[in-house]
Amino acid sequence: MLRPLAPTEVIGGDHPVGGYSLTGLLPPAPVPLPSRRALLGGAALVVPPPQGAPIDAPGVPERAAAELGELLGGTFGSGATLPLSVHDALVSPQTRAQYGAPGLSLTWDRPRHGFYWLAARLDDRQVQACGEPGHLHCVSFHRPLAGPPTDDPWELLAQLAPALHARLRGEPAERGGADLRDITAAFSPGLFGIALSAPELRIRTGVRQALRTDGTPAGLVHVLRIDAGPGCREWPGP
């Protein structure tokens, strides 16, 4: 059963433990701003919350919940109650206003119907998800690191995303099954425990130093990250 996270429990960012080069990663933007490409192409694994203003978007939470249920199954399946909110952007209103001054400009992602946000506890894990129904779902599961992490993606998927696990195990290549490629070696050694890729799917694992939304450390966590949907074709990596 999913239960909402308190705001103080939400992870606002993470970074790899130790030093890594940018091999295989999207280079940092001159002005770091939340964006779809940064969400997909960086080293971070925990999905951060959108910074945009909450909006009333009838039908969007229901569609997001249905698509997450179809993608993940299990706890997210049909009839599940998901603590979802909808936001007008990934970038905050304050940042947009700042760059609205004369002589400044800002390019930011304008969602079709809003970016949904989910932050919940699932047993001993936290799940954070952000995306756009019909286009992109970015979902991370993390828990405190205790002992050697399990980076077997099939074991993690069977536990946390049984619908995706069953689909990948049962689908022919033309529907994404055998087409899932291991691209771990395309990145700096040790950056990801495993990195798998298909045209509209990315699965990654890794150990990260997590940071709360106020910037304070939250300790080491092991993360399973799933990105799915047509928006994954914007992935800037290998």
Side-chain angles (χ1 to χ4, degrees), residues 15-43:
H15 59 79
V17 181
Y20 290 92
S21 72
L22 292 175
T23 302
L25 294 174
L26 178 70
V31 179
L33 292 173
S35 67
R36 295 188 191 97
R37 282 177 59 82
L39 192 62
L40 289 168

Side-chain angles (χ1 to χ4, degrees), residues 4-91:
L5 285 180
T8 55
E9 296 180 282
V10 173
I11 299 302
D14 69 86
H15 59 79
V17 181
Y20 290 92
S21 72
L22 292 175
T23 302
L25 294 174
L26 178 70
V31 179
L33 292 173
S35 67
R36 295 188 191 97
R37 282 177 59 82
L39 192 62
L40 289 168
L45 289 177
V46 179
V47 176
Q51 298 175 17
I55 58 173
D56 183 19
V60 176
E62 292 80 7
R63 184 178 177 187
E67 291 183 10
L68 284 171
E70 182 179 0
L71 172 67
L72 303 172
T75 306
F76 300 84
S78 178
T81 300
L82 305 184
L84 291 163
S85 59
V86 183
H87 301 254
D88 67 351
L90 296 174
V91 179

Side-chain angles (χ1 to χ4, degrees), residues 56-160:
D56 183 19
V60 176
E62 292 80 7
R63 184 178 177 187
E67 291 183 10
L68 284 171
E70 182 179 0
L71 172 67
L72 303 172
T75 306
F76 300 84
S78 178
T81 300
L82 305 184
L84 291 163
S85 59
V86 183
H87 301 254
D88 67 351
L90 296 174
V91 179
S92 71
Q94 293 81 4
T95 300
R96 283 176 271 164
Q98 175 186 349
Y99 281 87
L104 297 176
S105 64
L106 175 68
T107 300
W108 52 282
D109 293 315
R110 290 169 169 78
R112 293 153 179 79
H113 306 290
F115 290 99
Y116 75 82
W117 167 245
L118 165 69
R121 183 165 296 282
L122 176 61
D123 299 325
D124 62 341
R125 298 179 188 267
Q126 286 185 199
V127 54
Q128 298 187 189
C130 181
E132 301 173 81
H135 182 64
L136 180 64
H137 297 282
C138 298
V139 187
S140 62
F141 300 87
H142 69 272
R143 67 179 177 186
L145 183 65
T150 299
D151 279 316
D152 181 344
W154 301 109
E155 180 180 337
L156 293 168
L157 289 173
Q159 177 187 356
L160 300 170

Side-chain angles (χ1 to χ4, degrees), residues 168 176-177 179-181 196-203 232:
L168 290 173
D179 202 32
L180 196 63
R181 300 177 297 120
L196 306 176
S197 173
E200 295 189 2
L201 178 66
R202 305 291 185 268
I203 299 169
C232 282

